[in-house]
């Protein structure tokens, strides 16, 4: 097989002329998402009321706690892939969430409320934020899928998630609720967490885990993308384009079984925009961005445009090329080359 030439062109538009500066190294304290130490470490650290564990997923610290509990409960399956749970492939989810928080993408973009802004509650996650709504399906749904799969064992309390102030019908709030409303999506995440169950632990393979995790990840985005299309109106045109470009790129990244452990994800995120895009930001020369950050953003734009122009054929060809381990290695190398110094 041959990797589509157009995709190669999109990922190699220009040689890297500079590398973005990163404070994330394997020994630094900032390798974790912001406020990681403040996030609830145990399910009973959340509010317990009326024999229920109540999680406010519209608070950054509590949504981060959802991830922290997932990582802790699944750590035993990744002991062979590095110390301190660094090899856990779930790190990609909280690190993305942390990047969204740090760059202001979880705040109310309409400014109708002060949610997430300095003049309001900085830890507030706005339901008007496209990023935060998309992330709900990559935080709460995986978590409830893990609960259903038995990752946390037998719980003495039911777990419920608080609804947002708006658009309550666009989300589900408990295992039973999500099971009845989005059964296929719950099945995808449940399958991932069941793959690491004690009965299959002896045959646990990282590539198999990555395949299941990415399949669930892509399913979450595919379900949420049309649901929150109207939220893009609150964003600048460049930021809205970037959001859709990123969602499209995930399909291509997923096909390579790209490892989303802690060091690899941190390195990759260095090249994502460290602020919201605003009107007047024009690729590939956005002010304040490194040449490499501009290059990555332009590559995502070209990739999305090319995939749309071919009616999705580019993604189909790419997935076919990634159907073998040799192909996936080549695909991962392309991604690494795009973000290498």
């Amino acid at each position: 097989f041959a990797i589509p030439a157009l995709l190669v062109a999109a990922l190699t538009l220009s040689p890297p002329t500079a590398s973005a500066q990163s404070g994330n190294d394997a020994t630094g304290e900032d390798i974790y998402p912001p406020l990681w130490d403040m996030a609830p470490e145990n399910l009973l650290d959340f509010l317990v009321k009326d024999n229920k564990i109540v999680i406010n997923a519209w608070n950054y610290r509590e949504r981060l706690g959802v991830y922290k509990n997932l990582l802790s409960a699944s750590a035993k399956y990744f002991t062979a892939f590095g110390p301190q749970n660094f090899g856990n492939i779930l790190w990609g989810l909280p690190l993305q969430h942390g990047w969204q928080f740090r760059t202001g993408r979880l705040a109310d973009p309409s400014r109708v409320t002060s949610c997430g802004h300095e003049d309001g509650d900085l830890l507030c996650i706005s339901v008007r934020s496209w990023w935060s709504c998309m992330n709900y399906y990559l935080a709460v749904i995986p978590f409830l899928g893990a609960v259903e799969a038995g990752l946390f064992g037998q719980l003495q309390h039911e777990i419920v998630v608080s609804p947002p102030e708006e658009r309550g019908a666009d989300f589900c709030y408990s295992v039973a609720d999500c099971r009845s409303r989005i059964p296929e999506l719950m099945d995808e995440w449940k399958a991932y967490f069941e793959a690491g169950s004690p009965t299959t632990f002896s045959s646990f393979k990282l590539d198999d885990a990555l395949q299941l995790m990415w399949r669930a990840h892509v399913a979450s985005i595919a379900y949420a993308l049309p649901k929150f299309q109207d939220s893009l109106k609150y964003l600048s045109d460049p930021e809205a384009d970037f959001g859709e470009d990123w969602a499209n790129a995930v399909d291509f990244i997923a096909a390579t079984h790209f490892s989303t452990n802690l060091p690899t994800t941190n390195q990759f995120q260095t090249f994502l925009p460290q602020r919201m895009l605003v009107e007047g930001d024009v690729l590939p020369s956005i002010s304040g961005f490194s040449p490499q950050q501009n290059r990555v953003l332009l590559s995502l734009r070209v990739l999305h445009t090319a995939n749309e122009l071919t009616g999705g054929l580019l993604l189909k060809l790419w997935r076919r090329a990634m159907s073998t381990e040799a192909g996936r290695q080549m695909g991962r190398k392309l991604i690494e080359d795009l973000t290498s110094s």
Side-chain angles (χ1 to χ4, degrees), residues 30-322:
D30 56 353
I31 60 174
Y32 299 104
L35 308 181
W36 185 250
D37 288 342
M38 293 177 57
E41 296 185 8
N42 187 286
L43 292 179
L44 293 178
D45 291 337
F46 292 101
L47 173 67
V48 179
K49 183 179 180 182
D50 298 330
N51 202 36
K52 294 180 180 180
I53 296 171
V54 183
I55 298 174
N56 178 11
W58 303 98
N59 172 277
Y60 171 73
R61 189 184 69 87
E62 294 206 23
R63 194 180 289 196
L64 198 61
V66 163
Y67 288 127
K68 198 169 189 177
N69 278 270
L70 275 178
L71 277 157
S72 177
S74 59
K76 58 191 174 185
Y77 305 121
F78 293 92
T79 54
F81 305 105
Q84 296 179 270
N85 204 22
F86 284 2
N88 195 321
I89 60 176
L90 288 177
W91 273 113
L93 298 175
L95 288 169
Q96 271 283 283
H97 187 49
W99 165 75
Q100 293 163 358
F101 172 75
R102 189 173 59 248
T103 58
R105 288 178 164 85
L106 302 180
D108 183 355
S110 71
R111 292 302 307 233
V112 170
T113 71
S114 58
C115 177
H117 294 285
E118 290 186 4
D119 57 346
D121 179 1
L122 266 176
L123 297 184
C124 176
I125 295 178
S126 175
V127 73
R128 293 190 172 213
S129 159
W130 179 84
W131 291 98
S132 77
C133 292
M134 294 293 293
N135 177 261
Y136 189 96
Y137 282 84
L138 290 168
V140 172
I141 309 308
F143 174 71
L144 293 177
V147 171
E148 187 178 32
L151 185 68
F152 301 99
Q154 290 294 321
L155 298 173
Q156 56 180 331
H157 304 292
E158 181 188 3
I159 295 178
V160 296
V161 181
S162 302
E165 294 183 0
E166 302 175 35
R167 316 191 55 145
D170 288 328
F171 308 94
C172 58
Y173 306 103
S174 68
V175 170
D177 184 28
C178 296
R179 169 52 59 188
S180 66
R181 293 166 61 179
I182 48 172
E184 294 87 358
L185 190 51
M186 286 289 284
D187 283 343
E188 294 286 7
W189 284 107
K190 186 183 178 188
Y192 168 71
F193 289 107
E194 285 180 339
S197 68
T199 57
T200 58
F201 181 66
S202 60
S203 60
F204 182 82
K205 295 180 180 177
L206 186 60
D207 189 65
D208 293 341
L210 283 163
Q211 180 181 20
L212 289 168
M213 186 277 294
W214 276 118
R215 192 166 71 186
H217 191 129
V218 166
S220 277
I221 290 180
Y223 181 84
L225 199 57
K227 185 178 285 290
F228 300 111
Q229 189 74 19
D230 60 330
S231 295
L232 292 169
K233 67 187 178 188
Y234 297 121
L235 303 175
S236 69
D237 287 344
E239 179 69 16
D241 286 343
F242 166 61
E244 293 190 298
D245 293 346
W246 177 240
N248 171 77
V250 169
D251 282 330
F252 288 87
I253 295 170
T256 72
H257 296 183
F258 187 79
S259 181
T260 44
N261 59 35
L262 187 137
T264 304
T265 304
N266 267 323
Q267 173 66 17
F268 185 74
Q269 289 198 158
T270 302
F271 307 102
L272 295 180
Q274 301 306 307
R275 63 164 173 82
M276 297 274 281
L277 303 187
V278 297
E279 300 297 348
D281 283 338
V282 179
L283 292 170
S285 53
I286 298 178
S287 176
F289 285 18
S290 71
Q292 204 158 10
Q293 286 171 325
N294 271 294
R295 177 172 172 249
V296 168
L297 287 178
L298 182 58
S299 296
L300 297 182
R301 175 98 289 246
V302 171
L303 186 61
H304 187 194
T305 302
N307 195 41
E308 284 192 325
L309 288 174
T310 60
L313 178 61
L314 191 58
L315 178 58
K316 291 179 181 178
L317 291 173
W318 176 254
R319 284 174 170 164
R320 186 181 303 169
M322 297 299 105

